[in-house]
């Protein structure tokens, strides 16, 4: 049975977001008439160059930095790789990296690869988190050493929405002359960012988590921070990122940053209220359901809930029949039943980690959608539990 209008209720905005209509509108001319190369000498290309310049200014205004500190990349993953490898190449005698156990694979797998591919010439400290997903600052302070080249800590976690104290962590790294990178892909557009006041050296963003298209990212590099490009080639981005600019997407991302700035208040009021209504409703009506992640130190749009004794995959399939889109915390993609590394790092018990669902909202969600989800979820979970051999009963 599907909902009548066959509509989609999209609660998977930490996976990707819809392109805002205003963003598409800003992009269209650069996919049609204005196809010049921004590096060309003629006016036809030059006007495209002006659009790229304007987009760079919009991104800079959004994160509180100077336009020449903004480098356009192909995605958040490229920004993460570029920042960390740049810091290592700028500091070849230092051989230690600090990160956390809850990073996105873009940072986690990169750091693991750096250790293994260099025959463990590099040492990686992955900071623990507690059951609420927060790190221990004492462990961090102990880990910082004269051998540390770079610290990379995500601003907000994609699975739980938990916000980490990167401002303070960056300050502590800076005092010791250590470079600090943050993956702010999930933070951007959900909490305010003003880099002028902070000790952060490198910051990553991604367009498609912010209502811009997929395949465009930003790397912020603070003026004066050493920088070694990831891609060699042409002189684009002042020699810092070769490859002809993805003009339409750059223009779209600029517009998306403007919109995100305008909607930051709504994100933290109306969207947050919808998230809380969803979360409170689910936790109250469904027995043996638990919130994963710190209740307060959290993005306004995200909630991650475990429904004990059911499989996340099965829940998603049943939700899908009603047009409801969300994510689960067990790694379906790999075909294994390993619960997510984030929930494991938090020590979420097996029976709960398997039945975890991440709901992530956006400004496009409505109260009617949330009510529909609240109506359907209890029956989905109850039906699945009836079929579960492990369910001990209400
Ligand atoms: C989505 C995401 C990325 C990767 O961004 P892409 O643009 O898809 O490469 C990196 N970090 C976090 C926290 C993310 O949520």
């Amino acid at each position: 049975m599907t909902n009548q209008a066959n509509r989609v209720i999209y609660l998977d905005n930490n996976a990707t977001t819809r392109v805002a209509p205003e963003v598409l509108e800003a992009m269209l001319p650069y996919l049609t008439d204005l196809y010049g190369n921004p590096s060309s000498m003629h006016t036809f290309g030059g006007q495209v160059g002006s659009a790229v310049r304007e987009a760079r200014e919009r991104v800079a205004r959004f994160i509180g930095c100077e336009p020449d500190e903004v480098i356009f990349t192909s995605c958040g993953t490229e920004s993460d790789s570029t920042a960390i490898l740049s810091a290592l190449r700028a500091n070849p005698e230092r051989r230690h990296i600090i990160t956390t156990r809850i990073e996105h694979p873009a940072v986690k797998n990169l750091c693991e690869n750096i250790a293994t591919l260099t025959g463990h010439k590099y040492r990686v400290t992955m900071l623990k988190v507690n059951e609420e997903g927060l790190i221990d600052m004492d462990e961090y302070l102990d880990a910082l050493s004269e051998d540390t080249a770079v610290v990379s800590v995500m601003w907000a976690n994609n699975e739980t929405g938990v916000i980490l104290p990167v401002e303070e962590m960056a300050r502590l790294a800076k005092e010791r002359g250590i470079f600090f990178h943050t993956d702010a892909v999930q933070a951007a557009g959900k909490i305010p960012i003003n880099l002028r006041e902070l000790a952060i050296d490198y910051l990553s963003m991604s367009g498609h988590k912010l209502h811009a298209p997929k395949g465009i990212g930003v790397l912020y590099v603070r003026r004066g921070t050493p920088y070694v490009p990831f891609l060699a080639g042409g002189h684009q981005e002042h020699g810092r990122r070769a490859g002809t600019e993805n003009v339409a997407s750059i223009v779209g991302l600029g517009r998306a940053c403007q919109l995100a700035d305008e909607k930051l208040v709504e994100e933290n009021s109306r969207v947050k209220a919808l998230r809380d209504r969803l979360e409170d409703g689910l936790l109250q009506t469904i027995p043996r359901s638990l919130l994963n992640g710190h209740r307060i130190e959290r993005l306004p749009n995200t909630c991650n809930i475990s429904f004990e004794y059911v499989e996340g995959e099965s829940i998603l399939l049943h939700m899908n029949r009603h047009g409801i889109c969300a994510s689960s915390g067990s790694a379906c993609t790999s075909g294994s039943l390993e619960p997510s590394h984030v929930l494991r790092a938090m020590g979420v018990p097996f029976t709960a980690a398997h039945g975890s669902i991440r709901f992530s909202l956006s400004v496009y969600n409505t109260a009617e959608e949330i009510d529909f989800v609240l109506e359907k979820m209890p029956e989905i979970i109850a039906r699945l539990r009836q079929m579960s051999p492990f369910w001990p009963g209400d």
Side-chain angles (χ1 to χ4, degrees):
M1 205 172 63
T2 56
N3 63 74
Q4 283 100 8
N6 268 337
R7 63 184 165 163
V8 164
I9 296 179
Y10 191 74
L11 302 178
D12 205 9
N13 287 277
N14 288 9
T16 197
T17 59
R18 70 173 281 185
V19 173
E22 297 91 333
V23 167
L24 178 64
E25 195 191 335
M27 291 174 66
L28 278 175
Y30 299 94
L31 293 166
T32 51
D33 299 338
L34 301 176
Y35 55 82
N37 188 320
S39 300
S40 297
M41 292 302 289
H42 41 72
T43 320
F44 184 61
Q47 61 188 334
V48 176
S50 309
V52 170
R53 208 168 312 122
E54 188 183 13
R56 199 184 308 281
E57 285 163 10
R58 287 174 170 180
V59 173
R61 221 168 296 136
F62 177 57
I63 56 176
C65 71
E66 300 304 317
D68 65 8
E69 295 176 313
V70 171
I71 302 171
F72 290 112
T73 66
S74 68
C75 59
T77 303
E78 184 192 326
S79 299
D80 287 342
S81 272
T82 306
I84 293 170
L85 294 173
S86 173
L88 296 183
R89 285 168 182 157
N91 256 304
E93 58 306 323
R94 295 188 178 208
R95 295 295 175 86
H96 180 223
I97 303 169
I98 299 177
T99 182
T100 75
R101 295 194 184 176
I102 59 168
E103 296 301 311
H104 186 274
V107 168
K108 182 178 180 279
N109 292 348
L110 175 73
C111 291
E112 285 170 1
N113 284 355
I114 290 169
T116 50
L117 297 177
T118 61
H120 298 277
K121 283 207 186 82
Y122 281 89
R123 193 163 57 84
V124 181
T125 300
M126 293 192 160
L127 300 172
K128 293 196 276 289
V129 295
N130 66 14
E131 60 280 5
E132 291 179 309
L134 291 172
I135 61 143
D136 174 355
M137 285 302 256
D138 288 332
E139 190 198 5
Y140 175 54
L141 280 171
D142 285 345
L144 291 167
S145 85
E146 297 200 333
D147 194 36
T148 310
V150 63
V151 178
S152 178
V153 174
M154 66 196 332
W155 200 320
N157 183 267
N158 44 303
E159 292 188 29
T160 60
V162 168
I163 298 170
L164 297 178
V166 291
E167 293 104 319
E168 171 74 354
M169 295 178 86
R171 196 180 57 74
L172 293 166
K174 175 144 247 151
E175 281 173 10
R176 291 158 178 79
I178 298 166
F179 297 121
F180 192 93
H181 165 251
T182 186
D183 176 334
V185 170
Q186 291 296 340
K190 296 167 191 160
I191 54 176
I193 295 178
N194 186 358
L195 288 164
R196 238 168 241 118
E197 296 166 358
L198 303 176
I200 291 167
D201 296 295
Y202 306 93
L203 174 141
S204 306
M205 270 172 51
S206 173
H208 76 100
K209 305 288 173 77
L210 196 72
H211 302 293
K214 293 157 189 64
I216 184 72
V218 161
L219 175 62
Y220 155 88
V221 182
R222 177 177 294 280
R223 275 186 193 165
T225 298
Y227 178 77
V228 183
F230 185 50
L231 292 182
H235 53 78
Q236 293 89 355
E237 301 293 290
H238 296 286
R240 295 179 300 178
R241 201 281 185 178
T244 301
E245 297 86 341
N246 181 356
V247 173
S249 293
I250 288 173
V251 169
L253 180 54
R255 186 77 184 97
C257 285
Q258 267 191 322
L259 288 172
D261 214 9
E262 290 163 16
K263 294 191 176 185
L264 202 54
V265 172
E266 182 184 350
E267 186 84 34
N268 284 278
S269 49
R270 191 182 67 83
V271 176
K272 182 169 186 290
L274 287 181
R275 189 277 311 267
D276 289 345
R277 174 164 163 173
L278 173 67
E279 179 170 302
D280 295 344
L282 292 172
L283 292 172
Q284 277 161 22
T285 55
I286 302 178
R288 304 199 71 148
S289 53
L290 317 157
L291 178 69
N292 294 314
H294 197 278
R295 192 172 280 278
I296 309 294
E297 297 296 328
R298 195 156 48 116
L299 295 175
N301 78 317
T302 308
C303 85
N304 187 311
I305 296 184
S306 279
F307 303 100
E308 286 187 289
Y309 302 102
V310 270
E311 279 296 336
E313 315 277 294
S314 323
I315 304 173
L316 288 182
L317 282 173
H318 284 259
M319 289 168 68
N320 188 53
R321 290 196 197 154
H322 296 293
I324 307 168
C325 307
S327 281
S328 97
S330 49
C332 44
T333 39
S334 65
S336 75
L337 279 176
E338 275 287 284
S340 91
H341 69 282
V342 175
L343 298 183
R344 261 184 300 155
M346 290 162 61
V348 175
F350 221 65
T351 47
H354 272 306
S356 79
I357 300 290
R358 175 189 70 189
F359 301 90
S360 48
L361 284 64
S362 81
V363 290
Y364 295 106
N365 290 123
T366 64
E368 293 76 55
E369 290 178 327
I370 298 304
D371 289 343
F372 181 76
V373 177
L374 283 173
E375 182 193 316
K376 295 295 169 196
M377 286 304 288
E379 50 189 66
I380 291 174
I381 302 296
R383 198 168 331 126
L384 288 170
R385 279 175 175 168
Q386 274 166 16
M387 298 187 294
S388 164
F390 306 109
W391 174 238
D394 291 331

